[in-house]
Amino acid sequence: MSEWIVEARDLRKVFPMPAGDVVALDGVSLQLSPGDYCSIQGPSGCGKSTLLHLLGCVETPSAGSLAIAGSDVAALGDRERSRIRLTRLGFVFQRFFLLPMLTAFENVELPQSEAGVVREQRRERTRELLEYVGLGARMDHRPSQLSGGEMQRVAIARALANKPSLLLADEPTGELDESTGNAIADLLDQVNADGTAMVVVTHNPTLAERAGRHLMMRNGKLEEAAR
Ligand SMILES: Nc1ncnc2c1ncn2[C@@H]1O[C@H](COP(=O)(O)OP(=O)(O)OP(=O)(O)O)[C@@H](O)[C@H]1O
Ligand SMILES: [Mg+2]
């Protein structure tokens, strides 16, 4: 078993387009240990979301190699890759992406149902998670009946539903006002302190600074940021 939760070597991602190839990632290498907290900043279009999509096993690299928790992602079949996505990885997005017809409780319960967790166990974990993110009193609200910060809390609880070893967050405070964003950043700190490795992409320098490791991306290349 590898000691790395993420081991990416020389990842490239090229999108062929009629006007010519777009090189979104141009040789990115990254190693993360369990429990690491790393932030990625960089100008719009430099490849940050593309990198998260590769790390999240939702897109495949054009070249290079990626192992998640010791499994070579390219060698896995679709089912195994889905399984890794569901049980090893958690995603948090700028626009939350909660299912509008489901309550907070049901949104957090869903990935556990998909992973085959039995009913009593998943209901207990869902209650615990919603209490953990401070929403014990909002479990039966649908997304439209929650504030932006509350929706992001539900999204974080959902991302943690199957106890991922790596949380990937793409601009998680982008839709939120400053104080709500800071509260979400506090929650992410807590998630990391409780042992989950995290990669957080953000334009928000105060969120980026909370990470133990700061990376900058420019033109599809990743570098350690000067502190
Ligand atoms: N599916 C796609 N097809 C073609 N080009 C794409 C695709 N996805 C991304 N790109 C291009 O790849 C580059 C990197 O995009 P990406 O979304 O990773 O940027 P980003 O750093 O996340 O930017 P932002 O900060 O604005 O979210 C951009 O030039 C974009 O136009
Ligand atoms: Mg992006």
Side-chain angles (χ1 to χ4, degrees):
M1 195 66 179
S2 161
E3 65 193 285
W4 304 108
I5 181 69
V6 170
E7 195 172 14
R9 286 191 195 283
D10 219 13
L11 289 179
R12 286 176 57 78
K13 182 68 180 179
V14 180
F15 295 107
M17 296 295 287
D21 286 354
V22 175
V23 179
L25 293 181
D26 190 13
V28 168
S29 297
L30 178 65
Q31 289 177 318
L32 293 179
S33 298
D36 277 357
Y37 183 176
C38 140
S39 66
I40 302 179
Q41 292 179 273
S44 183
C46 69
K48 305 180 299 295
S49 295
T50 304
L51 177 60
L52 283 195
H53 295 155
L54 295 191
L55 297 181
C57 306
V58 286
E59 282 189 50
T60 53
S62 310
S65 69
L66 172 67
I68 299 287
S71 301
D72 174 5
V73 174
L76 302 175
D78 284 349
R79 275 178 64 110
E80 293 163 302
R81 201 169 306 148
S82 304
R83 189 79 199 162
I84 285 206
R85 226 166 24 225
L86 193 60
T87 61
R88 287 284 196 172
L89 304 172
F91 295 89
V92 177
F93 303 95
Q94 177 171 356
R95 292 197 183 82
F96 325 131
F97 292 130
L98 300 172
L99 292 174
M101 299 308 289
L102 300 185
T103 63
F105 191 95
E106 290 162 343
N107 267 284
V108 176
E109 191 181 14
L110 185 62
Q112 300 172 77
S113 308
E114 287 171 346
V117 178
V118 297
R119 184 158 183 238
E120 267 324 299
Q121 211 178 315
R122 69 182 192 243
R123 293 180 73 84
E124 188 183 332
R125 174 140 182 91
T126 301
R127 272 190 293 272
E128 279 172 13
L129 277 167
L130 285 165
E131 275 158 23
Y132 177 78
V133 302
L135 289 182
R138 293 287 182 275
M139 299 201 201
D140 297 327
H141 287 228
R142 282 201 280 274
S144 62
Q145 300 164 328
L146 294 167
S147 72
E150 288 170 345
M151 283 191 264
Q152 195 59 303
R153 286 173 188 278
V154 176
I156 291 169
R158 178 184 58 181
L160 297 175
N162 291 322
K163 304 181 183 160
S165 18
L166 176 64
L167 186 78
L168 301 166
D170 199 348
E171 201 64 63
T173 62
E175 302 270 299
L176 307 173
D177 66 65
E178 189 178 342
S179 81
T180 310
N182 286 338
I184 291 299
D186 288 343
L187 176 58
L188 291 174
D189 283 353
Q190 187 185 337
V191 169
N192 177 248
D194 291 340
T196 309
M198 303 200 302
V199 178
V200 175
V201 162
T202 182
H203 290 288
N204 175 352
T206 59
L207 174 59
E209 272 165 23
R210 292 178 178 242
R213 188 168 165 205
H214 304 224
L215 301 173
M216 278 296 294
M217 185 163 250
R218 283 192 192 89
N219 293 325
K221 290 183 194 290
L222 203 53
E223 54 195 59
E224 302 284 335
R227 302 204 66 175

